[in-house]
Amino acid sequence: MIRVTISMLIMLVLFLGGVLFGITQANQGMVETRGYEKADAEDVVNSSVEENGAYQIEVMGQDFEQLNLEKKQETYETVQTGHLTQKVAGGLETGVKWFYNGVIEGAYQFVQAFF
């Protein structure tokens, strides 16, 4: 019984040592990530407010700018109106749905005729 307990404790120590080693390796991987040279975990995300009210956000060394809603809406509308492929796919979807529903309804009517 003592032998089993000792072997279980040894396995537990090895397991926890492996977990700690893995956490250390993951932390070093975060430090070596592109654009991030600081070892402090608090400096991964930095944010500040500029004079004009816009937020300046830096995540792991990469800057992100705040765009206003009108500019995003305009970009979205130009992307949506310019895709012929999406319009063709939408028409094809409607046709396939109509055909599939017709086949299913026909099969249902056929089965209902016999029962």
Side-chain angles (χ1 to χ4, degrees):
M1 183 70 179
I2 294 175
R3 197 171 176 186
V4 172
T5 305
I6 291 174
S7 63
M8 291 296 276
L9 286 175
I10 289 173
M11 287 192 292
L12 182 67
V13 167
L14 289 175
F15 173 74
L16 292 176
V19 168
L20 289 175
F21 179 74
I23 290 173
T24 304
Q25 291 296 318
N27 186 28
Q28 288 176 356
M30 287 275 299
V31 170
E32 295 171 0
T33 302
R34 175 179 51 104
Y36 180 63
E37 290 112 14
K38 299 176 184 173
D40 296 340
E42 279 88 35
D43 291 337
V44 173
V45 177
N46 294 325
S47 65
S48 61
V49 180
E50 296 178 357
E51 294 87 23
N52 59 2
Y55 289 95
Q56 180 67 27
I57 300 172
E58 181 180 334
V59 178
M60 296 182 74
Q62 294 183 354
D63 290 330
F64 293 95
E65 65 180 73
Q66 179 184 12
L67 298 175
N68 59 4
L69 186 60
E70 290 83 21
K71 187 184 285 186
K72 287 182 182 180
Q73 183 70 24
E74 182 180 311
T75 305
Y76 177 74
E77 287 174 357
T78 58
V79 167
Q80 287 298 322
T81 59
H83 289 292
L84 176 67
T85 307
Q86 288 180 344
K87 292 179 184 178
V88 171
L92 184 63
E93 174 191 11
T94 304
V96 169
K97 278 185 182 179
W98 175 81
F99 177 75
Y100 181 75
N101 286 337
V103 169
I104 296 298
E105 188 162 332
Y108 177 74
Q109 294 295 329
F110 181 73
V111 169
Q112 287 296 330
F114 290 108
F115 295 106

